[in-house]
Amino acid sequence: MTRLPLFWMLIFVVCAAMEGIALYYQYALDYGPCVLCAQIRAFIFLIMIASLLGLLAGKYRPVRVFATVLGLLGSIGMMERSYQTFGIERGFIDGSCSLDGGFPAALPLNEWLPSIFEPWESCGYTPDLLWGITMAEGLIMIAAALIAVFVLGLPSAFSQPKRRFF
C-alpha cells in the first residue's frame, strides 16, 4: 500500500484540502485559530511532508518506512491536539490557551509563517462544519482515519517489492 504513489498522493491531497479549509475558515469566515488549532495545522503540515517523502522516494525501503512512521507520528500528534481541543470545547478537559504559539524555540512556525501558524483566539470554540459536526470532532475523525491508514500501511512499508524475471 505505501509502495503505491497513489497512496501518498491521496494523503497529500487530503492534508492540502484540510489546510485549505482551515485557511478559508480563517480568512474568509474570520474564525481565527487558537494555539491548539495552529499546532494541529503543524501536524497536518508534517503529514504532508511525509507524503512528499513517500511519493518521491517510495521505491527505497528506508525512506518509505521513515515516511510512514513520520506520517503515523504526525497523525498521533494531530489526534492528541484535536482531542485536547474537543475536550476544552466540551468542558471535560479543564484548560485554556494563551496566544503564545506554543512551538519550540528551534522551530518557531508562528514567527516563520504567521499567516498560517499564528494563533488569533483563545481555545474553547470551533466552528461547525457540516451536519452539526464541529471542526474539533471532524479533526478527531480524520486523525483516527489517518492513524488507521498508516498503521495498516506499516507492513507494506517494510516489505520488498517482488522481483519479476519477465
Side-chain angles (χ1 to χ4, degrees), residues 1-104:
M1 178 163 72
T2 60
R3 288 183 283 153
L4 302 174
L6 182 62
F7 170 82
W8 295 110
M9 281 190 269
L10 286 173
I11 297 292
F12 183 84
V13 167
V14 166
C15 290
M18 289 191 318
E19 294 285 4
I21 290 168
L23 292 173
Y24 173 76
Y25 270 81
Q26 180 176 352
Y27 290 106
L29 302 179
D30 203 32
Y31 288 108
C34 67
V35 171
L36 295 173
C37 297
Q39 292 169 354
I40 291 166
R41 288 181 186 185
F43 281 115
I44 294 169
F45 205 69
L46 179 66
I47 299 166
M48 287 176 70
I49 291 169
S51 68
L52 287 176
L53 278 174
L55 183 62
L56 296 175
K59 289 193 287 188
Y60 303 102
R61 185 174 18 176
V63 177
R64 192 174 61 234
V65 169
F66 178 74
T68 305
V69 170
L70 189 64
L72 178 61
L73 292 175
S75 301
I76 291 169
M78 178 184 163
M79 171 65 90
E80 189 275 331
R81 295 283 84 188
S82 299
Y83 184 76
Q84 287 289 328
T85 304
F86 179 70
I88 291 171
E89 178 179 272
R90 295 297 166 108
F92 62 85
I93 293 178
D94 188 31
S96 63
C97 298
S98 66
L99 292 180
D100 176 32
F103 294 106

